[in-house]
Amino acid sequence: MPRSTRRHFLAQSAAAATIAALPIRGLAQDSAPATLKSAVAPQSAVTPGLRVGCCVAARLLRDDPAYAALVKQQMNILVAENEFKFGPIHPQPTAFFFDDADTIINFAEHNGMKMRGHNFVWHRALPPWFATYVTPANAEQVLVNHIETVAGRYKFRIHSWDVVNEAIQVSDGLPNGMRNSPWQKVLPNYIDIAYRTARKADPHALLTYNDYDIEGEDEASSAKRGAVLALVRGMQQRGVPIDAVGIQSHLSASPTPNPKYTYGPKLEQFQKDVQSLGLKMMLTEMDVNDRYLPADIPTRDAAVADVYTSYLRTALANPAVIALLTWGITDKYTWLNHEGSRKDGQPERCLPFDADLKPKPAFSSEYIALRAAARR
Ligand code: XIL
């Protein structure tokens, strides 16, 4: 589509119209519509690198043009919700499937966005063949081949790779809080192997360690943060390449004060600790589960927006944080309707745009937090 036609199309899109009309105090004087990516447009030399994005699905980019237009309008970095994971991209021991991953990275590049890679190693999304085919004898070769093939294919095109995802699960009782994952069982030093292989295969990508439940003020989150810090410190001591920590940021709004759903000084200290190791950070998968809130929509939207505001005030304050991505853009397609969903069967309202692709109070919270961070 020529540039002028594209602009015309965007200007006409329902999403653009609602955003332009969004009643946010202090934004009325802006001539361009308030979009998340405009909130992080370089405003100071201090934070030239702050990006905003979300996860996307190839099927939706192909089949839902309003969704694709909204993503394009709002974001400047994307990640695939599932399409780069081991099972989807490596469905047979000797066969890879790149069509859906290609759809997403091509969409990102076509629209001038960066692309994150998610992920090489996870205890979930493994293909059915993993359990029968992979043994201690061939596990290293399988892992190295997987990373060389996938990272090699997208070499120079990936902003950051989540090389290992969710390797810590303190309650599993293994040394150092390691999760008793399928990889751990067949290849106990899988982490070092994965990062070394990734660095060689795509030296341009930032190599990230990504995990969840490291945001809250409760004891369990503190223990997990401690294990994550020890993991990345240990990697550095062994000379294993690592550049960044991904703080997933799957949060919940709580109707009553609860340290697990409070985000403050302990997260701030963790971020300082990560920063002092010379590592960058990304908030990689933010959403705010409203399952503990009553059904009333204005109540839920206000509480969810409050969590966006309070969390991002803390989590974006550290200048080593270089990106914020939400896990989806619209409530219409959130994974939380399938996992960890509300007991009353109401659809979740966890993301910045509602199921009609209209901005919610959470959008305003995110926009304002990004502007404040970009100006720091
Ligand atoms: C989720 C996807 O959103 C779902 O579609 C899929 O069924 C399961 O995985 N942490 C992660 C993401 O790192 O990869 C997960 O994505 C959500 C939790």
Side-chain angles (χ1 to χ4, degrees), residues 10-24 27 32-35 66 70 73-74 352-354 356-360 363-364:
L10 268 185
Q12 284 207 326
S13 85
T18 31
I19 292 160
L22 188 66
I24 302 176
L27 302 182
T35 65
L70 185 65
Q73 182 195 52
Q74 293 293 323
F353 290 84
D354 72 10
D356 297 320
L357 310 188
K358 298 222 171 60
K360 299 189 321 194
F363 169 87
S364 314

Side-chain angles (χ1 to χ4, degrees), residues 112-145:
M113 303 163 167
K114 298 273 186 206
M115 183 73 204
R116 304 199 66 243
H118 175 80
N119 52 58
F120 294 130
V121 180
W122 194 28
H123 61 285
R124 296 178 59 185
L126 288 166
W129 58 266
F130 189 93
T132 48
Y133 183 91
V134 182
T135 65
N138 69 5
E140 176 163 356
Q141 182 252 319
V142 170
L143 180 60
V144 168
N145 170 253

Side-chain angles (χ1 to χ4, degrees), residues 336-357:
L336 292 178
N337 285 334
H338 311 287
E339 269 186 55
S341 52
R342 291 177 61 89
K343 291 211 173 65
D344 63 7
Q346 292 295 311
E348 276 271 349
R349 299 181 63 84
C350 52
L351 287 166
F353 290 84
D354 72 10
D356 297 320
L357 310 188

Side-chain angles (χ1 to χ4, degrees), residues 6-249:
R6 206 160 66 211
R7 256 202 313 269
H8 183 67
F9 168 73
L10 268 185
Q12 284 207 326
S13 85
T18 31
I19 292 160
L22 188 66
I24 302 176
R25 265 195 305 279
L27 302 182
Q29 72 276 22
D30 288 359
S31 49
T35 65
L36 297 172
K37 69 181 177 191
S38 72
V40 292
Q43 291 170 345
S44 85
V46 187
T47 57
L50 188 61
R51 290 200 168 250
V52 63
C54 66
C55 79
V56 293
R59 182 179 59 82
L60 301 176
L61 292 178
R62 284 193 290 257
D63 297 350
D64 186 341
Y67 163 90
L70 185 65
V71 169
K72 176 165 139 180
Q73 182 195 52
Q74 293 293 323
M75 306 306 188
N76 61 22
I77 186 166
L78 297 183
V79 63
E81 181 161 13
N82 291 300
E83 291 82 343
F84 283 63
K85 290 173 183 171
F86 202 113
I89 212 164
H90 197 165
Q92 299 296 334
T94 54
F96 289 81
F97 173 74
F98 293 119
D99 292 6
D100 287 346
D102 285 354
T103 295
I104 296 177
I105 195 167
N106 290 338
F107 176 89
E109 288 176 351
H110 186 73
N111 293 298
M113 303 163 167
K114 298 273 186 206
M115 183 73 204
R116 304 199 66 243
H118 175 80
N119 52 58
F120 294 130
V121 180
W122 194 28
H123 61 285
R124 296 178 59 185
L126 288 166
W129 58 266
F130 189 93
T132 48
Y133 183 91
V134 182
T135 65
N138 69 5
E140 176 163 356
Q141 182 252 319
V142 170
L143 180 60
V144 168
N145 170 253
H146 177 81
I147 295 176
E148 283 177 347
T149 306
V150 179
R153 180 181 179 87
Y154 299 112
K155 194 175 177 177
F156 303 129
R157 301 169 70 188
I158 297 288
H159 167 273
S160 46
W161 263 112
D162 291 336
V163 178
V164 173
N165 194 36
E166 305 182 353
I168 302 289
Q169 178 70 315
V170 177
S171 61
D172 280 359
L174 292 188
N176 308 319
M178 294 303 293
R179 181 187 292 277
N180 192 17
S181 78
W183 282 110
Q184 177 74 31
K185 287 177 191 149
V186 291
L187 190 63
N189 62 338
Y190 74 92
I191 294 192
D192 293 10
I193 294 168
Y195 283 85
R196 290 197 163 114
T197 307
R199 178 66 97 220
K200 263 193 231 142
D202 186 356
H204 284 257
L206 295 173
L207 303 186
T208 304
Y209 174 75
N210 193 47
D211 217 328
Y212 69 103
D213 275 359
I214 50 175
E215 300 85 4
E217 293 286 294
D218 58 315
E219 282 309 308
S221 300
S222 291
K224 192 161 178 177
R225 279 190 288 265
V228 169
L229 274 176
L231 173 71
V232 297
R233 244 188 232 121
M235 290 171 65
Q236 291 184 322
Q237 280 157 8
R238 295 191 296 279
V240 176
I242 171 139
D243 306 304
V245 170
I247 303 171
Q248 287 189 8
S249 314

